[in-house]
């Protein structure tokens, strides 16, 4: 099993159990801190209201701390593929105007576990080499309030010795889902970053709105070949795959097998869900918009993931992977740090670390060479 020490698990667990107001604490306005050299720094840029994707804004607009989209980028010059990890970072989830019950609210500070896992894995993978780069945010006119964050590769140093060979982006979708006069209402209609409109039927189904915008940003602005989103998305995950296995949904059978193998190697177990968008995506049909954001009548865990995948388009030639880790993210009252080891193991072939390469299932060498990955296949369909 991959040692948890590889991914700074203690820091992530402490983050999940102690910090609720993470938007204000981790990304203060105008922050710019040196991190070991003039070419290595953390810079936070605040932009106007026209730059925040509306799905993220709609979830967090009722909170005192404004929502944010944070993008951390590692772009080595010899990279041949672009990988994006998208994390759900709901720093506290009251359910919005469809308020959670009094027994469901305690522990909701852990609803940012997906973003925490992505942050930890990114930190471990790129070794803080100081070559991150983020382009200017796109113009957007569909929201008001909020801000956009561009964070360059410069997290606190760690002891790892590997770098990452491919373009790697960590997209953190940060918001606090609160009640209040400015909060999103059931029946509201938002236009997501993908351009599709969504009818809000349940304000407590907010995570898919964040990830929909994060995934669409990865495709539209970062031109990602592989997009993986990770989230404490549904209570149905615990019913579908239990306390120890995250729920896995992907549009690529080879990557599904690789994810399962990486879970076994790392200890962050995953179990595939039914992937049949031709049967299930119709559950989101709306008379008012392109889609609605909630339906519990059929395969709720699979459908929640399909809502995110639908923003990319089911004909997209790239690889999309969804991991719902609502139950494995915590044990009792404490967070587990689930997800960090899974990401490092899955993409270990893109690092210089011998251990990660050894346990990584993703690569032609582990799958029989050209028999598994055709030489003429588009690069977006190749395993890393």
């Amino acid at each position: 099993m991959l040692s948890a020490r590889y991914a700074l698990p203690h820091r992530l667990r402490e983050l999940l159990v102690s910090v609720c107001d993470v938007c204000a604490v981790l990304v203060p306005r105008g922050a710019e801190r040196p991190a070991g050299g003039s070419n290595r720094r953390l810079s936070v840029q605040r932009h106007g209201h026209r730059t925040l994707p509306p799905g993220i804004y709609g979830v967090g607009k009722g909170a005192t701390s404004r929502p944010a989209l944070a993008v951390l980028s590692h772009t080595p010059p010899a990279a041949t593929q672009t990988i994006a990890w998208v994390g759900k970072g709901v720093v506290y989830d009251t359910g919005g105007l469809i308020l959670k019950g009094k027994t469901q609210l305690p522990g909701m500070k852990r609803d940012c576990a997906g973003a925490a896992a992505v942050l930890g894995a990114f930190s471990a993978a790129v070794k803080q080499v100081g070559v991150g780069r983020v382009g200017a945010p796109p113009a957007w006119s569909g929201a008001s309030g909020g801000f956009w964050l561009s964070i360059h590769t410069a997290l606190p140093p760690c002891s790892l010795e590997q770098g990452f060979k491919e373009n790697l982006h960590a997209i953190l979708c940060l918001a606090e889902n609160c009640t209040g006069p400015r909060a999103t209402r059931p029946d509201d209609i938002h236009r997501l970053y993908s351009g599709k409109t969504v009818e809000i039927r349940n304000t407590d189904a907010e995570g898919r709105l964040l990830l929909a915008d994060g995934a669409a940003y990865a495709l539209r602005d970062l031109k990602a070949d592989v997009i993986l989103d990770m989230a404490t998305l549904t209570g149905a995950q615990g019913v579908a795959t239990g306390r120890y296995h995250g729920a896995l949904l992907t549009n690529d059978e080879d990557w599904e097998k690789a994810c399962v193998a990486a879970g076994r190697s790392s200890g962050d177990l995953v179990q595939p869900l039914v992937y049949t968008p031709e049967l299930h995506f119709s559950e989101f049909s709306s008379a008012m918009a392109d889609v609605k954001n909630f339906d519990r009548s059929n395969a709720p865990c699979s459908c929640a993931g399909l809502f995110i995948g639908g923003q990319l388009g089911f004909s997209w030639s790239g690889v999309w992977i969804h991991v719902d880790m609502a139950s494995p993210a915590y044990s009792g009252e404490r967070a587990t740090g689930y997800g960090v080891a899974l990401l490092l193991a899955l993409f270990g072939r893109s690092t210089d670390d011998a251990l990660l390469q050894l346990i990584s299932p993703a690569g032609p060498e582990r799958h029989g060479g050209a028999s598994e990955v055709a030489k003429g296949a588009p690069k977006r369909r190749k395993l890393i």
Side-chain angles (χ1 to χ4, degrees):
M1 180 184 295
L2 177 63
S3 171
R5 288 194 297 272
Y6 253 79
L8 315 176
H10 177 73
R11 291 168 57 191
L12 293 181
R13 290 196 297 264
E14 291 304 311
L15 173 67
L16 291 177
V17 300
S18 61
V19 178
C20 292
D21 201 10
V22 72
C23 287
V25 173
L26 294 186
V27 287
R29 298 182 183 182
E32 186 170 314
R33 301 196 300 257
S38 60
N39 65 333
R40 293 169 56 185
R41 66 179 185 176
L42 169 63
S43 63
V44 178
Q45 302 174 5
R46 181 178 178 181
H47 296 269
H49 65 273
R50 295 182 182 275
T51 62
L52 191 67
I56 297 173
Y57 168 72
V59 171
K61 67 179 182 177
T64 302
S65 296
R66 293 182 176 182
L69 179 66
V71 182
L72 296 82
S73 296
H74 168 69
T75 54
T80 60
Q81 295 216 51
T82 298
I83 301 161
W85 296 341
V86 185
K88 172 190 171 184
V90 176
V91 297
Y92 200 84
D93 183 15
T94 67
L97 291 180
I98 299 183
L99 189 65
K100 293 180 182 290
K102 63 180 180 180
T103 61
Q104 295 176 300
L105 282 171
M108 282 297 105
K109 60 187 175 184
R110 293 190 296 259
D111 211 18
C112 61
V118 166
L119 177 63
F122 180 87
S123 173
V126 305
K127 192 195 167 183
Q128 295 78 54
V129 293
V131 296
R133 178 179 60 81
V134 178
W140 181 257
S141 59
S144 59
F147 55 95
W148 188 291
L149 305 176
S150 297
I151 302 182
H152 293 243
T153 307
L155 295 174
C158 68
S159 60
L160 301 186
E161 298 299 330
Q162 82 273 18
F164 202 82
K165 303 172 186 176
E166 307 291 353
N167 295 326
L168 180 64
H169 303 280
I171 301 171
L172 312 179
C173 306
L174 305 172
E176 183 176 358
N177 188 20
C178 281
T179 60
R182 299 181 67 246
T184 290
R185 301 172 295 265
D187 290 337
D188 280 355
I189 295 178
H190 295 169
R191 185 176 296 276
L192 299 178
Y193 194 62
S194 65
K196 295 183 179 180
T197 56
V198 57
E199 177 190 358
I200 306 301
R201 297 293 293 271
N202 187 346
T203 59
D204 197 20
E206 82 295 335
R208 63 197 68 184
L209 302 175
L210 297 178
L211 294 176
D213 274 0
Y217 174 79
L219 175 61
R220 179 172 160 181
D221 292 83
L222 302 178
K223 311 302 181 186
D225 305 308
V226 180
I227 299 175
L228 184 149
D229 68 79
M230 182 171 283
T232 49
L233 196 63
T234 68
Q237 177 274 310
V239 177
T241 63
R243 295 181 180 178
Y244 308 114
H245 291 72
L248 171 68
L249 199 66
T250 177
N251 64 350
D252 189 285
E253 185 177 1
D254 289 335
W255 278 91
E256 181 179 277
K257 294 175 182 177
C259 289
V260 172
R264 291 172 179 168
S265 298
S266 66
D268 287 350
L269 301 170
V270 293
Q271 175 64 35
L273 295 171
V274 173
Y275 178 79
T276 52
E278 67 276 14
L279 298 178
H280 287 149
F281 197 69
S282 59
E283 301 293 336
F284 294 110
S285 297
S286 168
M288 306 293 179
D290 293 327
V291 291
K292 60 186 176 184
N293 79 321
F294 180 76
D295 190 275
R296 257 191 191 154
S297 63
N298 191 13
C301 195
S302 293
C303 285
L306 288 176
F307 182 92
I308 302 161
Q311 309 308 307
L312 305 175
F314 295 115
S315 61
W316 178 51
S317 62
V319 174
W320 168 68
I321 303 166
H322 165 71
V323 179
D324 188 344
M325 30 87 90
S327 291
Y330 66 94
S331 178
E333 296 297 318
R334 305 290 295 184
T336 62
Y338 178 96
V340 179
L342 175 64
L343 291 175
L344 291 176
L346 180 59
F347 294 93
R349 294 259 167 188
S350 292
T351 74
D352 294 323
D353 185 87
L355 175 59
L356 292 179
Q357 289 191 13
L358 179 65
I359 67 173
S360 175
E365 295 88 344
R366 294 289 291 269
H367 289 276
S371 63
E372 286 291 333
V373 181
K375 293 182 179 179
K379 72 184 183 83
R380 294 187 176 188
R381 304 300 280 179
K382 289 182 180 179
L383 292 174
I384 298 301

